[in-house]
Amino acid sequence: MGTVTVRSVWGCLAAACLLASCSSGNDDGAVADGADAGAGAADTPAAVYPAAEWERADAAEAGFDEAKLDEIAVAAEQAGSNCLVVVHEGRIVDEHYWRGTTATSTQEVFSATKSYASTLVGIAQAEGHLSVDDPAAAYIDAWAGTPSAEVTIENLLSNDSGRRYDAAIDYGQLPFAADMDALAIGLDQQAPPGTTWAYNNSAIQTLDTVIREATGTDTAAYAADKLFAPLGMAHSTMTKDAAGNTKVFMGLQSSCEDMARFGYLFLRDGNWDGTEVVPPEWVEAATGDSSQDLNSAYGYLWWLNRPGRVLDPARATTAQAGGDADDAQLVPGAPDDMYFALGLGDQIIAVDPGSETVVVRLGGVDVPDGAAPFGARAIARVVTDAYTGDPDGAG
């Protein structure tokens, strides 16, 4: 297959798979009554954190219907999943590995990397290196005195920066660029910040320069020291381009269990066994209400399930045009406060605060013929369909 064809396929997959993450799964009404999932659950004991290994717990005793979990796992396997891990209250209650993978197998997680990049900005802010209110031009010299001088770090995190968005660049050039930072920074300003929402890989990649210049540390090294090490994420690495820039719009290599640690950090409001890795205020800003007024389903590089206008990630949308009805949701029927890290090919971390559940699915980019994609809607069934809250899991 030639280069042009590979890049065209990449672009189509990226848009199609992210949309599938937002809407795919069984259409049998399994999530129709999910808004109340986790409601009325008994108070939980003191938080449990994994050491080098996760503790395990019985799914039925934790309040899950094991037959439903098995049904969901079958769908995940059919969709070409490599792993599926369910964590409840700090313990793994269900786990599956397929296609020759194990608990330590790692893979590219694509755009789920973005949620990690956001967290690194939160850590840098907590350490006093930057503020999300800062103009990005304070750290990106090339933007000083240009229309991009008004773009803030928060705009980059919220995808409303107004920086040039072009799918052919984002999916046909950026992933293959020898110097991703130079390509991303060198694009022009397409619209005033705050007036257009776009799922803009190029704009997000500029956060590598912001983090590096603000902290004085290589972004990959900063992630290893400030995030991966405290959480015991021994199988996670941020990768680099040929010029030595850290990839932040994609590129993280990680395992299912490591991804669960990251999700569990957010479930615990940024605390890891008594250590504040990222402030709870950041967790709320990143995953609570939407970070801008254009897309209710987006925070700081996390996808949200807040009701409102849900925008199509495959096209830019202005404040005056487009979008679904004001009562739309990313995953209808799932809890409003559920949130997701999503990547190409349905690489997913799903966090449900109400039931204290984190679910991770990793897999290949291609879905086998005849199988349904295992996206955000499908993974939400762990909470909306399988979790009953009853100690015997019977419902």
Side-chain angles (χ1 to χ4, degrees), residues 270-281:
N271 181 281
W272 194 262
D273 201 13
T275 298
E276 183 180 277
V277 175
V278 65
E281 295 81 9

Side-chain angles (χ1 to χ4, degrees), residues 9-272:
V9 171
W10 180 285
C12 291
L13 281 172
C17 289
L18 185 55
L19 286 167
S21 293
C22 297
S23 61
S24 66
N26 293 348
D27 291 325
D28 57 3
V31 297
D33 60 353
D36 292 329
D43 292 339
T44 57
V48 172
Y49 292 86
E53 299 289 336
W54 286 89
E55 293 184 24
R56 267 70 178 174
D58 181 85
E61 292 179 359
F64 289 87
D65 183 325
E66 292 183 297
K68 291 292 186 181
L69 287 178
D70 289 343
E71 178 185 313
I72 293 166
V74 168
E77 182 180 16
Q78 291 174 342
S81 300
N82 292 332
C83 59
L84 180 68
V85 170
V86 180
V87 173
H88 177 66
E89 295 181 356
R91 297 177 176 88
I92 291 178
V93 297
D94 196 38
E95 58 187 320
H96 302 270
Y97 298 94
W98 301 287
R99 307 205 304 179
T101 64
T102 68
T104 60
S105 296
T106 63
Q107 68 167 80
E108 166 72 57
V109 304
F110 298 104
S111 285
T113 306
K114 292 176 171 69
S115 301
Y116 291 77
S118 164
T119 305
L120 296 179
V121 173
I123 293 171
Q125 177 172 269
E127 292 185 332
H129 297 302
L130 55 77
S131 167
V132 294
D133 297 325
D134 291 343
Y139 310 97
I140 303 174
D141 293 342
W143 290 2
T146 75
S148 294
E150 301 302 315
V151 174
T152 66
I153 296 173
E154 184 172 38
N155 290 139
L156 296 174
L157 294 169
S158 301
N159 270 333
D160 66 347
S161 68
R163 293 281 298 164
R164 170 68 56 185
Y165 172 74
D166 185 329
I169 295 173
D170 263 21
Y171 300 108
Q173 297 180 29
L174 184 64
F176 309 96
D179 190 331
M180 294 181 178
D181 286 14
L183 172 60
I185 289 171
L187 298 175
D188 63 343
Q189 189 71 23
Q190 193 171 35
T195 64
T196 302
W197 191 90
Y199 192 73
N200 195 327
N201 288 331
S202 299
I204 293 164
Q205 181 58 33
T206 67
L207 287 169
D208 173 50
T209 298
V210 170
I211 295 167
R212 184 177 64 246
E213 293 300 314
T215 64
T217 305
D218 171 81
T219 304
Y222 193 68
D225 181 42
K226 302 294 183 177
L227 184 57
F228 301 159
L231 272 58
M233 294 175 62
H235 306 288
S236 297
T237 306
M238 297 192 82
T239 60
K240 299 184 178 184
D241 66 14
N245 303 305
T246 301
K247 303 175 190 178
V248 296
F249 76 100
M250 59 167 282
L252 176 69
Q253 297 284 324
S254 192
S255 67
C256 228
E257 287 193 7
D258 272 12
M259 297 277 277
R261 287 174 185 263
F262 180 61
Y264 192 61
L265 171 72
F266 270 70
L267 182 67
R268 293 302 177 207
D269 296 323
N271 181 281
W272 194 262

